[in-house]
């Protein structure tokens, strides 16, 4: 699977750990920026880049990083077909994919440490949507909100 990674300057310190965790799980990385801790752009720019990569089929999933993880999650969820969630625990990262077809994981680099971030990323990447009737039904209802 190809995973798009996008981070603003505040999330950048966790980017190397994120890329390594993706590669350690046997997946490829589509780098959507940023390239330093210098605040040149804002988190919505990277949310857009990752969302458009998923929408365009260039990546199956995305991982988004900012300081808290909140802003980039809010921005990513404005894009049709993007189901982004802020997860700082393994259970939520796995369950979000299995039950809710989450396709973008958001992390706060100022909130989560590198070891736990790696575990959360591994859980997100290792999970698969359940395809259970109730989960499909709920996903269709959520999709209808997009118009």
């Amino acid at each position: 699977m190809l995973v798009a990674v996008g981070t603003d300057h505040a999330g950048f310190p966790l980017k190397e750990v994120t890329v390594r965790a993706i590669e350690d799980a046997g997946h490829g990385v589509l780098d959507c920026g940023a390239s330093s801790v210098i605040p040149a752009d804002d988190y919505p720019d990277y949310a857009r880049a990752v969302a458009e990569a998923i929408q365009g089929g260039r990546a199956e999933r995305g991982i988004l990083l900012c300081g808290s993880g909140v802003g980039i999650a809010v921005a990513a969820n404005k894009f049709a077909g993007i189901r982004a969630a802020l997860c700082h625990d393994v259970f939520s990262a796995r369950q979000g994919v299995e039950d809710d077809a989450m396709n973008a994981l958001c992390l706060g680099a100022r909130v989560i440490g590198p070891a736990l971030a790696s575990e959360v990323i591994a859980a997100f990447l290792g999970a698969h949507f359940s395809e259970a009737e109730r989960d499909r039904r709920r996903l269709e209802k959520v999709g209808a909100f997009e118009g």
Side-chain angles (χ1 to χ4, degrees):
M1 159 174 29
L2 192 58
V3 181
V5 175
T7 175
D8 70 356
H9 62 281
F12 186 77
L14 195 58
K15 185 176 181 181
E16 183 178 324
V17 168
T18 299
V19 169
R20 188 175 328 111
I22 294 166
E23 291 172 342
D24 286 350
H27 304 291
V29 175
L30 174 62
D31 189 343
C32 294
S35 57
S36 76
V37 296
I38 298 169
D41 293 309
D42 299 316
Y43 65 82
D45 302 316
Y46 301 105
R48 168 176 282 188
V50 170
E52 289 177 348
I54 294 169
Q55 288 176 321
R58 294 185 315 279
E60 286 183 58
R61 294 192 191 170
I63 298 179
L64 297 155
L65 312 167
C66 71
S68 68
V70 174
I72 208 157
V74 169
N77 279 310
K78 297 297 182 182
F79 291 85
I82 302 304
R83 294 171 302 280
L86 173 63
C87 300
H88 289 141
D89 65 272
V90 170
F91 173 79
S92 297
R94 179 185 50 75
Q95 183 271 338
V97 175
E98 291 175 350
D99 292 358
D100 305 309
M102 178 175 71
N103 57 9
L105 172 67
C106 302
L107 299 171
R110 295 176 178 157
V111 178
I112 192 170
L116 180 55
S118 294
E119 292 177 25
V120 170
I121 292 166
F124 169 67
L125 296 176
H128 303 281
F129 182 57
S130 73
E131 299 292 341
E133 188 276 328
R134 70 184 177 111
D135 294 330
R136 286 194 319 270
R137 180 182 71 244
R138 293 169 180 166
L139 185 59
E140 288 174 17
K141 287 180 179 184
V142 171
F145 296 156
E146 295 175 349

